[in-house]
Amino acid sequence: MVVELISVGTELLLGNIINTNAAYLAEQCASLGLSCYYQSVVGDNAGRLGEQLQTALSRADVVILSGGLGPTQDDLTKEVAAKVIGKQLYLDENTIDRIQRYFETRGIEATENNWKQAMIPEDARVIDNDNGTAPGVIMEENGKTVILLPGPPGELVPMFEKDIRPYLAGRTNEVIYSQTVKICGVGESRVEDAIQDMIAGQSNPSIAPYAKTGEVHLRVTARAENEKGARKLVKPVIKELKARFGNDIYTTEEDTTLEKAVADLLIANDLTVSVAESCTGGMLSARLINVPGISEVYKSGYVTYSNKAKRRLIGVKKSTLDKYGAVSENVAREMAKGTAVLSKADVAVSITGIAGPDGGSEEKPVGLVYVGCFVCGTVTVRRFQFQGNRTKVRESAVSAALTLMRNCILEYYSQVTFGKK
Amino acid sequence: MVVELISVGTELLLGNIINTNAAYLAEQCASLGLSCYYQSVVGDNAGRLGEQLQTALSRADVVILSGGLGPTQDDLTKEVAAKVIGKQLYLDENTIDRIQRYFETRGIEATENNWKQAMIPEDARVIDNDNGTAPGVIMEENGKTVILLPGPPGELVPMFEKDIRPYLAGRTNEVIYSQTVKICGVGESRVEDAIQDMIAGQSNPSIAPYAKTGEVHLRVTARAENEKGARKLVKPVIKELKARFGNDIYTTEEDTTLEKAVADLLIANDLTVSVAESCTGGMLSARLINVPGISEVYKSGYVTYSNKAKRRLIGVKKSTLDKYGAVSENVAREMAKGTAVLSKADVAVSITGIAGPDGGSEEKPVGLVYVGCFVCGTVTVRRFQFQGNRTKVRESAVSAALTLMRNCILEYYSQVTFGKK
């Protein structure tokens, strides 16, 4: 079954608000096994909205419109949809009562234009709105279905959960199941190369790569009659991806971020951690502390942007700074070591680099970053050359640091067979 | 001039990501005085993308496509657009060099599929990508314009700012001039109340409020034949807004962020600064260090998430922690004072709070945050109760801290008439 989404609202065309409804509805429809090939946004304009709805009906079985059900003059989704389907509007008693109650319980007077919201297309199914005055509407006509939903997410989402999702589920005979494999420290095109053959031959399940700073996510999606069947199709593909990317996969859990994977690794091994940052100025600590429960292992963080702070707070030697410069392997090493020793942490990570726009040189260009990682006595330092603006360089450095922490800890335990230290 | 937006990507149709690019581009186009009647989303499918582009070209002068310029097989926006316009693709030497350099500076080997990104439609204008490997493309044919932009916001936004916006601005016969008044520490509804009358009567110039965490931006936009005329229309409105919001306006400069306004204030008054953070875990330092040149005044940052770190690093008394708890006015005060004294900074700011989801109580609910600010001997502490999830609470705390720093410094200098200290 094919579904198409139409979001109605001039505020969307003006970019005043972000279209979160479309993302929500799209994800819901995908999880129901519905195919969606088009989404569109039109303003509160009868002519263009009517055309768009006709086009959508010509290529989809179900069209879901959101927005434009408000009480004001320029809310005309219901009127336009009724016209396209060829239905009259009538005043729905039940909806009048609900609107009446809605205002009474809030001690407000309903205004005249509120009754516009009680106008319903004939033969339509009315979906009560528990969080507002605009009811939803389901219209079925010559094998096509048009669903109207209120625009505010606080009304649309609960209405979809309670009534629309079950309605659509009852009309499909397919289920979609997805699982994501999250890879860190490997470039997008390199990941692509490694799975060319798998992507080439893919149909069901399908593999879709998504790149984010320092990470690549591979989403494996399968359709089947039931979830059990879909999971069965996904499983061998995940297994193959694990075989190909091994340790570079930090999770296959939907809600696990890279910082959470690292935090879990620290907590599981009862390793305390401290952080020293120069150019990233606290971004790495901030990401680790995104993770609820990190307080168990997080000891202290130092933002040592100046040479003086590097010396005073975490004991980097003046001679090292003078000889090699603040952005150097040696300083990254002393930062990590000093931080570990001073804060008595099992793991300490350091970042020093040139984020730009200024401060670059021939031999040390903008984007040069050294990341150091101390794990139970051993310090590893990696050199990176990142591209992009100041923000991009700093975000890349943080991802690289999280990846290095993870690798060093895994490395350490692959050698230590008799538990911690 | 009419523009239409097409976002390309199956991940959008599946609802895996929210379409922030469309909102950004729509807002930019509106600010340029371009009319936009349709936005659409299509997957990485040659047939449907081609149809959608043809439809868009039939009703718009300029079509902006974003996404589908990656190195992978399913990235085919460029190929489809070239076909629709009737152009061949050729291998662009300059782009090859750029991609080569991009990988060389990272010490990585470019893979075969990367060269796909150097294929450019003949007669097209290539827009260099400073933050990735996929160049942008501008094609002009029979009075129509097709613009291709990379999908990642970190690449699309800077490219639009640097090259596409000026290009579009040069194509409209009327000039749009905007100036933004940026307000901190005042709620959105209070700001809107204060300018109801101005918004009600507005046409040219128009006033559009945009709320972001802890800030409200008022964008004043005027159209005229030339920039001089537009500026003349905007000027009195800015003057009136300044009269109404006074010191709560931290800038009217487009590229000045709240952290830059605070940094400028510190640098201008030759005030050094240090930071101590608990629940925000480095986010405040990270934002200050967003500002190039902050190194002049930034001394040191401490991430003291645990009570132990609060005591050991910045000298908070055990008795204070025991008596009042880590999230209290007294601890915020001692954190700020201790940080200032230890790091010999003129200004020190502290944040301690409950970001959630756990750790809240009847008397200290999730979202409770204390911010302390030391300025040349005086400590001010403010109590905040923020709403929202962990991230939202932490971001709100950082904005509140920047606003408090700014107010305390301004306050200090309004009293001290004889220069610094």
Side-chain angles (χ1 to χ4, degrees):
Chain A
M1 200 162 69
V2 176
V3 64
E4 183 159 337
L5 306 178
I6 301 178
S7 309
V8 185
T10 304
E11 68 276 25
L12 288 165
L13 288 180
L14 290 173
N16 297 342
I17 60 172
I18 292 171
N19 195 352
T20 54
N21 284 344
Y24 169 77
L25 292 171
E27 190 163 29
Q28 289 292 318
C29 290
S31 74
L32 284 163
L34 305 173
S35 305
C36 181
Y37 301 128
Y38 299 92
Q39 294 172 8
S40 61
V41 176
V42 284
D44 305 291
N45 172 288
R48 286 189 286 268
L49 177 53
E51 273 173 39
Q52 192 62 37
L53 177 54
Q54 255 146 356
T55 307
L57 283 168
S58 73
R59 55 193 182 190
D61 308 299
V62 178
V63 180
I64 304 178
L65 295 98
S66 55
L69 300 183
T72 74
Q73 284 306 326
D74 60 351
D75 293 300
L76 35 75
T77 302
K78 207 164 44 186
E79 292 72 3
V80 170
K83 190 145 173 280
V84 169
I85 298 288
K87 298 288 182 183
Q88 297 295 320
L89 293 167
Y90 71 96
L91 202 55
D92 181 60
E93 293 302 332
N94 171 51
T95 306
I96 292 180
D97 295 345
R98 289 185 61 92
I99 294 175
Q100 195 85 63
R101 276 203 306 283
Y102 181 90
F103 283 104
E104 275 168 12
T105 51
R106 284 164 177 68
I108 321 170
E109 275 289 307
T111 59
E112 255 323 300
N113 52 16
N114 283 111
W115 306 123
K116 175 174 179 295
Q117 299 188 293
M119 297 296 288
I120 304 294
E122 35 177 24
D123 309 327
R125 176 168 157 199
V126 181
I127 309 297
D128 293 336
N129 183 342
D130 299 331
N131 303 286
T133 53
V137 172
I138 299 178
M139 293 184 269
E140 293 177 349
E141 196 71 15
N142 341 316
K144 301 286 187 175
T145 303
V146 175
I147 300 175
L148 311 184
L149 300 174
E155 301 176 30
L156 177 141
V157 172
M159 186 182 287
F160 191 93
E161 297 290 339
K162 181 160 170 286
D163 293 303
I164 309 302
R165 190 182 163 88
Y167 168 81
L168 291 172
R171 294 198 36 189
T172 61
N173 40 24
E174 249 192 347
V175 170
I176 287 245
Y177 173 76
S178 292
Q179 197 176 352
T180 304
V181 170
K182 301 182 182 178
I183 298 166
C184 60
V186 186
E188 182 183 16
S189 49
R190 197 150 292 278
V191 169
E192 271 302 325
D193 260 15
I195 56 171
Q196 275 308 345
D197 55 326
M198 295 175 77
I199 286 191
Q202 76 180 357
S203 59
N204 184 29
S206 65
I207 306 174
Y210 307 115
K212 52 180 290 191
T213 304
E215 302 181 38
V216 180
H217 297 184
L218 298 174
R219 190 175 183 95
V220 182
T221 306
R223 302 160 174 255
E225 274 183 3
N226 52 46
E227 181 167 331
K228 189 157 170 295
R231 283 177 177 272
K232 213 170 147 197
L233 288 168
V234 167
K235 203 172 171 197
V237 178
I238 300 289
K239 191 165 171 239
E240 176 61 22
L241 290 173
K242 283 182 173 169
R244 294 192 187 195
F245 295 102
N247 263 347
D248 293 329
I249 297 172
Y250 70 82
T251 190
T252 55
E253 299 297 322
E254 224 44 60
D255 60 354
T256 297
T257 58
L258 180 53
E259 57 265 33
K260 185 171 188 314
V262 172
D264 292 346
L265 201 55
L266 291 164
I267 293 166
N269 294 294
D270 186 23
L271 295 170
T272 56
V273 64
S274 289
V275 177
E277 302 180 69
S278 185
C279 62
T280 51
M283 290 166 75
L284 174 58
S285 280
R287 262 186 83 174
L288 284 170
I289 293 174
N290 279 344
V291 184
I294 188 74
S295 51
E296 278 182 52
V297 293
Y298 186 93
K299 290 199 101 164
S300 41
Y302 304 87
V303 180
T304 56
Y305 196 49
S306 66
N307 285 358
K308 209 164 170 184
K310 290 181 182 72
R311 288 165 49 196
R312 223 172 44 70
L313 298 190
I314 51 175
V316 175
K317 289 199 221 72
K318 183 173 186 308
S319 57
T320 314
L321 286 161
D322 294 344
K323 185 165 176 195
Y324 302 101
V327 179
S328 62
E329 178 177 348
N330 308 63
V331 167
R333 186 175 300 279
E334 285 188 19
M335 285 173 73
K337 193 140 187 249
T339 301
V341 172
L342 265 158
S343 64
K344 300 192 181 57
D346 304 314
V347 175
V349 59
S350 65
I351 300 175
T352 178
I354 302 158
D358 313 319
S361 69
E362 186 58 40
E363 144 225 25
K364 291 186 178 182
V366 168
L368 174 66
V369 176
Y370 288 90
V371 178
C373 185
F374 171 106
V375 178
C376 308
T378 321
V379 183
T380 311
V381 180
R382 292 265 177 283
R383 178 188 190 282
F384 299 91
Q385 180 62 56
F386 299 116
Q387 298 297 303
N389 60 21
R390 185 175 177 88
T391 304
K392 178 89 169 144
V393 167
R394 296 168 80 215
E395 287 173 352
S396 303
V398 171
S399 298
L402 288 166
T403 302
L404 183 64
M405 286 169 80
R406 184 172 169 276
N407 294 342
C408 290
I409 295 168
L410 291 175
E411 167 83 0
Y412 176 76
Y413 282 100
S414 69
Q415 289 163 0
V416 182
T417 48
F418 45 87
K420 185 183 170 190
K421 294 207 202 73
Chain B
M1 200 161 71
V2 177
V3 64
E4 182 159 337
L5 307 178
I6 302 178
S7 309
V8 185
T10 304
E11 65 274 28
L12 288 164
L13 288 181
L14 290 172
N16 298 340
I17 60 173
I18 292 171
N19 195 351
T20 54
N21 284 342
Y24 168 78
L25 292 170
E27 187 175 11
Q28 289 292 317
C29 290
S31 76
L32 284 162
L34 305 174
S35 307
C36 181
Y37 301 127
Y38 299 93
Q39 295 172 7
S40 61
V41 176
V42 282
D44 305 292
N45 171 288
R48 287 189 285 269
L49 177 53
E51 271 173 39
Q52 192 63 36
L53 178 52
Q54 254 145 359
T55 308
L57 283 168
S58 72
R59 55 194 183 189
D61 307 299
V62 178
V63 179
I64 303 178
L65 296 98
S66 56
L69 299 184
T72 76
Q73 287 185 346
D74 59 351
D75 292 303
L76 36 73
T77 302
K78 207 164 44 187
E79 291 73 3
V80 170
K83 190 142 173 284
V84 169
I85 297 289
K87 297 290 181 181
Q88 297 295 320
L89 293 168
Y90 71 94
L91 204 54
D92 181 59
E93 292 304 332
N94 171 52
T95 306
I96 292 177
D97 295 346
R98 289 185 63 93
I99 295 176
Q100 193 86 62
R101 272 203 307 283
Y102 183 89
F103 283 102
E104 272 168 14
T105 50
R106 283 172 167 65
I108 318 171
E109 277 285 309
T111 58
E112 258 321 301
N113 52 17
N114 283 112
W115 305 122
K116 176 174 179 296
Q117 298 188 295
M119 296 296 288
I120 303 294
E122 38 178 19
D123 310 327
R125 177 170 156 196
V126 181
I127 309 297
D128 292 336
N129 183 343
D130 298 331
N131 302 291
T133 53
V137 172
I138 298 178
M139 293 183 269
E140 293 177 350
E141 197 71 16
N142 335 320
K144 301 287 188 174
T145 303
V146 175
I147 300 175
L148 311 183
L149 300 174
E155 301 177 27
L156 178 142
V157 172
M159 186 182 287
F160 191 94
E161 296 289 338
K162 182 160 167 286
D163 292 303
I164 308 302
R165 189 180 164 90
Y167 167 81
L168 290 171
R171 300 245 338 240
T172 56
N173 48 17
E174 85 184 331
V175 172
I176 298 274
Y177 173 76
S178 294
Q179 197 176 353
T180 304
V181 170
K182 301 183 182 178
I183 298 165
C184 60
V186 186
E188 184 180 15
S189 52
R190 259 183 60 210
V191 169
E192 283 181 357
D193 276 2
I195 56 170
Q196 272 311 341
D197 56 324
M198 295 175 77
I199 286 188
Q202 76 181 351
S203 61
N204 184 30
S206 65
I207 306 174
Y210 304 109
K212 51 181 290 191
T213 304
E215 303 181 38
V216 180
H217 296 184
L218 298 174
R219 190 178 184 89
V220 182
T221 307
R223 307 160 175 244
E225 275 183 2
N226 52 48
E227 180 167 332
K228 191 158 170 292
R231 282 176 177 275
K232 212 168 150 201
L233 290 167
V234 167
K235 204 174 169 196
V237 179
I238 299 291
K239 190 162 174 247
E240 176 61 23
L241 290 172
K242 283 182 174 169
R244 295 192 186 193
F245 294 102
N247 258 350
D248 294 328
I249 298 172
Y250 70 83
T251 190
T252 56
E253 300 296 324
E254 222 45 59
D255 60 355
T256 297
T257 58
L258 181 54
E259 58 265 32
K260 186 174 188 310
V262 172
D264 292 346
L265 201 55
L266 291 164
I267 293 165
N269 294 296
D270 187 23
L271 296 170
T272 56
V273 64
S274 289
V275 176
E277 301 180 70
S278 185
C279 63
T280 51
M283 290 167 74
L284 174 58
S285 280
R287 265 188 78 175
L288 284 171
I289 293 174
N290 280 343
V291 184
I294 189 74
S295 51
E296 278 182 52
V297 292
Y298 186 93
K299 288 199 104 165
S300 41
Y302 305 87
V303 179
T304 56
Y305 195 48
S306 66
N307 286 357
K308 207 163 171 189
K310 290 181 182 71
R311 289 165 51 195
R312 224 171 45 71
L313 297 190
I314 53 176
V316 174
K317 289 199 222 70
K318 183 172 186 312
S319 57
T320 313
L321 287 161
D322 294 343
K323 185 166 177 194
Y324 303 99
V327 180
S328 62
E329 177 177 349
N330 309 63
V331 167
R333 186 176 299 278
E334 285 190 18
M335 284 172 74
K337 193 140 186 245
T339 302
V341 171
L342 266 157
S343 65
K344 299 193 183 58
D346 304 314
V347 175
V349 59
S350 65
I351 300 175
T352 179
I354 303 157
D358 313 317
S361 70
E362 188 60 39
E363 143 224 26
K364 292 186 180 183
V366 168
L368 174 66
V369 175
Y370 289 90
V371 178
C373 184
F374 171 106
V375 178
C376 308
T378 323
V379 183
T380 311
V381 180
R382 292 265 178 284
R383 178 188 192 283
F384 300 91
Q385 180 62 55
F386 298 116
Q387 302 299 315
N389 61 19
R390 184 174 177 90
T391 304
K392 180 77 177 157
V393 167
R394 296 168 79 214
E395 287 172 351
S396 304
V398 171
S399 298
L402 288 166
T403 301
L404 183 63
M405 286 170 80
R406 181 172 171 273
N407 293 341
C408 289
I409 295 168
L410 291 175
E411 168 82 0
Y412 177 75
Y413 282 101
S414 70
Q415 291 163 358
V416 183
T417 50
F418 45 85
K420 183 183 171 190
K421 295 204 202 76

